[in-house]
């Protein structure tokens, strides 16, 4: 197969939902003529109309030029049937996450489009190898996985199945770069790169919600406070619970039902109830969303702060010392050990340890110190006053110690949020428990 150049390709985008419309926008702004199709009658035109509104808002904010927007909109042609896009030499599929439905579509597209057309799938998790099975030219199929919202998210996973020709993957890689994206190559493994990593971010949160251990507001606030741009619940609402649940099921099945990837009954109920997130107006939150919807419950009044000893070395220990000092709390430093912890004596005395993945109870039993709690600490250079911070107290510790631990964290200008003590099997350095 000769070297491919898709820089001047007519692009057919199949699926005019949030992802498909975003892909059409990016391609059109990059200079491509775009055919936009959706199986639902009128959906493609609706998507273009909504794009027009959104793009003109960007013009009013000075982020895009009026002439560029008008030219891009002229290049987007909504079509009611696939045959009207038969001159396309690149198709990007962004329809429902269902293997059989996608395979049927690609078989139809292969028969319709030129022999040298590239078939790209925006699947989040379905095997690219399986999607190509049965095609006459399976080497032309490749994954081109965008992330939501497409115009803003830079990453594109270029996913090669066993059949995918290297030239095809490289052409998509180059094209994504020309669209202003950060392209990465990936093999067609369950979840590819991002969804393989992200599954436990959702799964651990959903497990805690199933146990009624935390609220979505607390979960999101605590994860944002340790450096994540969005909390897991608001991110699932943005993606759409139907899509997120389908991806979870696909990754679970592809990993031979590994319990780490088991789908959640909490999310299944949301999908069954039509509570899909932002696109339906309600998921974990209601939309449009107010600041009150995301508010974390107020912290309980705290006891006087005891005399503290802060152990540990490095930037994290120094940031915690600075946070306490800024609040007028006296702290004695001990840099003889690398372990980051806060110690205090007295009837409610004990220790707060930076989480390392072990639960508070495990630490208490292993070290023989019943009055133990573990806490998160931000990996970001600065921590805003009042930032939520998750901590967990070992079972068997006294109530006086638990209150004192919360008081110590509050004394650092933080908003302590109590979480249950359970294994942080996914991300020890940033897990909320």
């Amino acid at each position: 197969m000769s070297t491919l150049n898709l820089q001047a390709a007519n692009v057919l985008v199949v699926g005019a939902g949030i992802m498909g419309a975003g892909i059409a926008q990016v391609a059109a702004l990059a200079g491509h003529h775009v055919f936009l199709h959706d199986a639902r009658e009128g959906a493609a035109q609706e998507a273009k109309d909504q794009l027009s509104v959104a793009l003109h808002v960007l013009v009013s904010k000075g982020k895009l030029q009026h002439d560029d927007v008008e030219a891009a909109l002229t290049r987007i042609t909504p079509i009611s049937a696939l045959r009207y896009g038969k001159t396309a030499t690149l198709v990007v599929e962004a329809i429902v996450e269902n293997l059989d439905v996608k395979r049927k579509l690609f078989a139809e597209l292969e028969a319709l489009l030129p022999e040298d057309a590239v078939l790209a799938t925006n699947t989040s998790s379905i095997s690219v190898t399986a999607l190509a099975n049965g095609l006459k030219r399976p080497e032309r199929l490749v994954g081109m996985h965008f992330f939501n919202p497409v115009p803003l998210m830079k990453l594109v996973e270029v996913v090669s199945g066993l059949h995918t020709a290297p030239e095809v993957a490289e052409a998509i890689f180059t094209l994504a770069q020309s669209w202003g994206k950060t392209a990465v190559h990936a093999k067609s493994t369950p979840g590819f790169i991002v969804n393989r990593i992200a599954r436990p971010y959702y799964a651990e949160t959903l497990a805690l919600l199933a146990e009624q251990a935390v609220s979505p507001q607390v979960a999101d606030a605590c994860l944002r406070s340790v450096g994540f741009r969005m909390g897991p619940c608001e991110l699932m609402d943005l993606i759409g619970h139907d899509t997120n649940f389908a991806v979870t099921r696909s990754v679970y099945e592809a990993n031979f039902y590994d319990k780490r990837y088991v789908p959640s009954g909490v999310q299944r109920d949301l999908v069954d109830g039509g509570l899909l997130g932002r696109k339906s107006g309600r998921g974990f939150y209601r939309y449009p969303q107010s600041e009150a919807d995301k508010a974390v419950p107020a912290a309980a009044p705290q006891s006087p702060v005891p005399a503290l000893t802060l152990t540990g070395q490095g930037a994290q220990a120094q940031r915690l010392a600075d946070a306490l000092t800024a609040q007028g709390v006296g702290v004695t430093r001990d840099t003889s050990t690398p372990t980051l912890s806060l110690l205090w004596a007295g009837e409610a005395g004990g220790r707060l340890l930076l989480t390392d993945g072990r639960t508070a109870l495990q630490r208490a039993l292993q070290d023989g110190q019943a009055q133990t709690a573990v806490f998160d600490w931000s990996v970001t250079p600065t921590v805003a006053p009042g930032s939520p911070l998750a901590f967990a107290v070992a079972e068997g510790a006294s109530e006086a110690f638990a209150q004192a631990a919360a008081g110590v964290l509050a004394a650092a200008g933080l908003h302590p949020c109590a979480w249950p003590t359970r294994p942080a099997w996914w991300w020890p350095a940033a897990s909320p428990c």
Side-chain angles (χ1 to χ4, degrees):
M1 184 179 296
S2 60
T3 301
L4 291 172
N5 186 342
L6 297 173
Q7 301 305 312
N10 287 343
V11 180
L12 168 59
V13 177
V14 184
I18 294 174
M19 295 298 290
I23 296 167
Q25 174 183 327
V26 170
L29 284 171
H32 297 264
H33 184 80
V34 179
F35 300 106
L36 182 59
H37 173 73
D38 196 281
R40 182 172 68 83
E41 184 177 354
Q45 184 61 55
E46 291 173 12
K48 181 178 179 180
D49 293 341
Q50 291 168 1
L51 274 180
S52 177
V53 172
L55 289 173
H56 282 102
V57 168
L58 294 177
V59 170
S60 68
K61 294 181 177 180
K63 295 184 177 181
L64 290 175
Q65 296 297 315
H66 179 269
D67 290 348
D68 293 339
V69 165
E70 291 302 317
L73 290 171
T74 301
R75 288 191 287 267
I76 299 176
T77 303
I79 57 175
S80 58
L82 289 174
R83 67 179 181 273
Y84 298 124
K86 64 182 180 181
T87 60
T89 50
L90 169 64
V91 59
V92 184
E93 166 273 315
I95 64 172
V96 63
E97 281 288 282
N98 181 287
L99 174 63
D100 292 336
V101 175
K102 289 180 186 289
R103 287 178 68 175
K104 181 179 178 182
L105 171 65
F106 280 122
E108 183 178 356
L109 289 168
E110 185 180 46
L112 175 70
L113 300 177
E115 288 192 1
D116 61 349
V118 171
L119 308 178
T121 174
N122 185 54
T123 181
S124 302
S125 62
I126 296 174
S127 166
V128 173
T129 300
L131 287 171
N133 186 17
L135 293 177
K136 295 178 180 178
R137 298 181 296 280
E139 70 279 2
R140 312 293 296 193
L141 182 66
V142 64
M144 191 179 191
H145 182 214
F146 294 84
F147 293 85
N148 190 19
V150 174
L152 299 179
M153 297 296 283
K154 291 293 187 181
L155 182 64
V156 172
E157 293 176 323
V158 180
V159 186
S160 294
L162 294 180
H163 301 291
T164 306
E167 296 88 348
V168 170
E170 197 57 40
I172 291 295
F173 185 95
T174 302
L175 181 68
Q177 288 183 318
S178 73
W179 290 1
K181 300 301 182 182
T182 300
V184 296
H185 284 293
K187 294 295 184 183
S188 184
T189 56
F192 314 141
I193 301 172
V194 173
N195 272 302
R196 175 70 170 270
I197 292 172
R199 285 306 99 197
Y201 185 59
Y202 310 126
E204 284 291 283
T205 304
L206 290 165
L208 287 167
L209 294 174
E211 297 166 12
Q212 298 184 342
V214 296
S215 67
Q217 290 85 351
V218 169
D220 284 344
C222 288
L223 269 294
R224 285 196 304 271
S225 74
V226 295
F228 290 95
R229 288 285 300 275
M230 297 183 73
C233 296
E234 57 188 341
L235 181 54
M236 285 184 276
D237 272 3
L238 173 65
I239 294 167
H241 290 284
D242 50 346
T243 299
N244 193 265
F245 186 62
V247 172
T248 300
R249 291 181 62 181
S250 175
V251 172
Y252 179 53
E253 293 167 3
N255 280 284
F256 303 104
Y257 304 99
D258 186 327
K259 66 179 182 180
R260 292 178 299 168
Y261 303 106
V262 64
S264 168
V266 170
Q267 192 165 51
R268 179 189 59 198
D269 287 347
L270 289 170
V271 173
D272 288 348
L275 306 178
L276 306 181
R278 291 192 183 191
K279 61 186 175 184
S280 70
R282 182 180 169 191
F284 287 118
Y285 303 102
R286 294 182 182 274
Y287 298 91
Q289 188 178 21
S290 68
E291 288 302 313
D293 295 329
K294 299 188 292 184
V296 178
Q302 306 301 334
S303 305
V305 182
L308 298 175
T309 297
L310 172 62
T311 73
Q313 305 163 359
Q316 283 190 308
Q318 186 60 52
R319 284 201 298 271
L320 185 53
D322 292 344
L324 287 162
T325 301
Q327 297 296 319
V329 178
V331 181
T332 300
R333 290 295 305 273
D334 177 2
T335 59
S336 62
T337 172
T339 302
L340 178 54
S341 67
L342 284 164
L343 312 173
W344 63 97
E347 185 177 341
R351 59 181 188 159
L352 269 166
L353 304 172
L354 179 67
T355 180
D356 65 359
R358 288 177 287 175
T359 68
L361 181 59
Q362 286 174 320
R363 298 299 302 269
L365 294 174
Q366 290 167 2
D367 300 338
Q369 299 188 46
Q371 311 292 40
T372 295
V374 296
F375 69 100
D376 282 335
W377 185 235
S378 177
V379 296
T380 56
T382 59
V383 181
S387 294
L389 186 138
F391 76 105
V393 179
E395 291 92 334
S398 70
E399 181 61 29
F401 165 73
Q403 292 180 3
V408 167
L409 295 173
L414 301 163
H415 186 134
C417 298
W419 285 55
T421 179
R422 64 195 304 271
W425 60 267
W426 164 235
W427 199 324
S431 178
C433 53

